[in-house]
Amino acid sequence: MAEALLSAFLGVLFDRLSSRELLNFARREGLEKKLEKWSRMLHRIEAVLADAEEKQDNGVAVKKWLDDLRDLAYDVDDILDEFATKALQQKLTGANQGSTSKVRNFIPACCTGFTINNRLGSQIEEITDRFNEMVKQKDDLKLCENVDRRSRRTRETLTPTSVVTKANVYGREKDKEAILEFLVGEKCRDAQLSVIPIIGMGGIGKTTLAQLVYNDEKVQSFFDMKAWACVSEDFDAVRVTKTILESLTSENCEGKDLNWLQNKLKENLKGKKFLVVLDDLWNENYHDWSILRAPFEEGASGSAIVITTRNVGVSSKTGTIPAAYSLKELSNDVCLSILAHHALGTKDFSAHLNLKDIGEEIVGRCKGSPLAAKVLGGVLRNKMEPMSGKMY
């Protein structure tokens, strides 16, 4: 269980290390290569966790390696928090440059620029040295990738569908109403085709929000037809168009080329008010997007496409609204409810007060990510006794 918890927490770190805000900040401050190195070494370490879990009972050295890794992961998380704070301060001061904004006046002068002082520089080098030592020890301990885990990674991954259990979703009511206003509100009813991007980091709940909107009663009554397609990193216009067309018509389109598919889709959408969700779009090539979008121009006024993406470039090239809808992290209280739901099958820890403290410690490391809270809750499911020592 400890290995699974640690693995889930490393997943949160991977998302933080790949976030656009952090990468932009690191690039400005000359830290990009350092963070890339941390990410590479984390991936090498994460690959042997299952093997380390199996061997720790028979080796004190392996158990200590896992303990050291846990402590290192916490310290990386803390320094990423510091980077995030500095990045936000830069954003605020930049937005108010040359103005007399009250916001700027409340930011200390020492924070208006960011330089790596001796303390922070020493911390960065220390963490890098510890990473190097962890990788070296991994090899010395002869830890290797677990065959079962590797096979699980190479098999096809299930992609989310439009189906959602509303009772299992927490903390997204206001976000849902905001997207519904874009779709069925007065301002969008006369638009020929609205494209609404939902943007946010991995695991933050973009797909879940799209599912809630897609299944809402207001949407059901407002649109003549609707369809859902998962795009993913492997952008395939033929596959996506085929998925949408088959969803709308129940017609088997196997073996048809893009020209046939788009003409058929165009015929079926003509004069109809539709909603299409394109989940997990990564491709920011405007030419590709123009081709994919072409058949949707035939719909009636009020038609809409909702896009979920982690990529700012995608949202800027596809959206028709002034700004993409940015999905924010959930509060710790909401994450605690998600953890309780998946770990205990309850909405809170009122019936398991002895576990509440460890639950709060766990969600503190989730950084507002509902996916992290869900994964950790699944790992802890029906584990009714608190773990001894520190939380993994």
Side-chain angles (χ1 to χ4, degrees):
M1 180 177 69
E3 172 267 328
L5 280 170
L6 183 53
S7 180
F9 181 55
L10 291 186
V12 175
L13 287 184
F14 289 138
D15 279 333
R16 298 196 72 190
L17 284 166
S18 63
S19 72
R20 179 171 289 272
E21 293 81 4
L22 180 64
L23 291 177
N24 286 341
F25 171 78
R27 196 173 295 117
R28 289 194 301 269
E29 303 301 331
L31 295 171
E32 185 178 18
K33 290 186 178 180
K34 191 73 68 176
L35 295 192
E36 287 175 353
K37 183 176 182 180
W38 288 3
S39 184
R40 288 196 303 271
M41 288 191 286
L42 263 181
H43 278 289
R44 291 182 63 187
I45 290 168
E46 192 266 348
V48 302
L49 280 183
D51 191 41
E53 173 76 1
E54 292 175 3
K55 291 177 178 176
Q56 68 171 324
D57 291 337
N58 299 319
V60 176
V62 176
K63 187 178 187 305
K64 184 179 184 306
W65 184 84
L66 283 169
D67 290 341
D68 290 345
L69 175 58
R70 176 201 62 209
D71 293 338
L72 174 58
Y74 285 0
D75 289 343
V76 171
D77 192 46
D78 289 339
I79 202 168
L80 292 183
D81 277 341
E82 188 162 354
F83 289 163
T85 300
K86 297 297 185 184
L88 178 59
Q89 289 170 340
Q90 284 189 354
K91 184 176 181 180
L92 287 173
T93 55
N96 293 286
Q97 190 70 35
S99 73
T100 58
S101 168
K102 293 181 179 180
V103 175
R104 188 184 180 195
N105 291 337
F106 279 105
I107 299 173
C110 63
C111 295
T112 57
F114 176 60
T115 57
I116 302 175
N117 56 36
N118 290 337
R119 178 192 62 81
L120 190 55
S122 297
Q123 285 183 326
I124 293 171
E125 292 307 316
E126 179 193 359
I127 285 177
T128 302
D129 290 343
R130 287 165 66 187
F131 265 125
N132 288 327
E133 184 62 23
M134 293 298 299
V135 172
K136 180 180 179 298
Q137 289 178 3
K138 169 186 77 71
D139 296 333
D140 292 342
L141 292 168
K142 295 182 170 52
L143 298 176
C144 57
E145 289 190 33
N146 182 274
V147 174
D148 290 337
R149 173 177 288 187
R150 186 165 60 246
S151 65
R152 285 199 300 271
R153 283 179 177 173
T154 57
R155 74 184 180 185
E156 183 178 356
T157 303
L158 290 177
T159 56
T161 70
S162 63
V163 178
V164 65
T165 303
K166 297 178 183 178
N168 296 348
V169 181
Y170 296 82
R172 291 304 185 195
E173 294 81 5
K174 290 183 179 179
D175 296 301
K176 186 183 82 167
E177 291 305 316
I179 300 300
L180 286 174
E181 181 61 28
F182 282 124
L183 293 176
V184 302
E186 292 296 332
K187 292 182 179 179
C188 296
R189 288 173 182 253
D190 296 330
Q192 183 62 35
L193 176 63
S194 298
V195 182
I196 300 103
I198 301 173
I199 189 168
M201 68 180 188
I204 205 65
K206 302 180 295 296
T207 297
T208 299
L209 176 58
Q211 290 169 331
L212 289 173
V213 169
Y214 189 84
N215 290 283
D216 188 84
E217 291 180 359
K218 294 178 183 177
V219 165
Q220 305 282 15
S221 59
F222 185 77
F223 293 100
D224 299 322
M225 54 178 59
K226 58 180 187 169
W228 177 289
C230 182
V231 184
S232 75
E233 292 183 71
D234 181 22
F235 181 84
D236 184 340
V238 173
R239 176 180 59 80
V240 173
T241 307
K242 175 175 170 290
T243 298
I244 294 170
L245 182 57
E246 289 184 341
S247 175
L248 295 174
T249 66
S250 299
E251 183 177 348
N252 186 345
C253 302
E254 198 64 41
K256 303 297 185 181
D257 63 15
L258 184 60
N259 181 64
W260 187 93
L261 291 168
Q262 287 204 321
N263 275 293
K264 196 71 174 179
L265 181 59
K266 178 179 173 181
E267 291 175 12
N268 281 275
L269 294 179
K270 191 170 185 177
K272 302 287 181 62
K273 187 162 54 179
F274 64 83
L275 170 65
V276 169
V277 173
L278 299 177
D279 185 38
D280 198 25
L281 180 60
W282 286 76
N283 188 338
E284 57 181 288
N285 184 300
Y286 185 75
H287 176 68
D288 291 348
W289 167 245
S290 299
I291 292 173
L292 181 66
R293 172 180 164 150
F296 300 111
E297 303 288 352
E298 294 296 316
S301 296
S303 295
I305 300 173
V306 171
I307 290 171
T308 69
T309 184
R310 302 184 197 184
N311 193 322
V312 174
V314 168
S315 65
S316 64
K317 288 180 171 62
T318 62
T320 61
I321 58 176
Y325 189 82
S326 181
L327 194 60
K328 304 302 182 183
E329 296 85 354
L330 293 173
S331 69
N332 281 357
D333 286 342
V334 174
C335 284
L336 193 63
S337 295
I338 295 172
L339 183 75
H341 175 84
H342 291 283
L344 305 169
T346 60
K347 291 185 177 181
D348 55 43
F349 282 82
S350 58
H352 305 277
L353 293 178
N354 62 318
L355 299 174
K356 187 175 181 180
D357 287 346
I358 191 69
E360 290 175 343
E361 186 179 354
I362 289 171
V363 300
R365 296 291 175 175
C366 291
K367 303 299 178 185
S369 167
L371 179 60
K374 177 182 178 181
V375 170
L376 290 169
V379 171
L380 292 168
R381 190 163 184 82
N382 297 324
K383 305 289 184 183
M384 295 300 185
E385 296 300 324
M387 293 172 287
S388 59
K390 281 189 175 181
M391 186 275 294
Y392 281 88

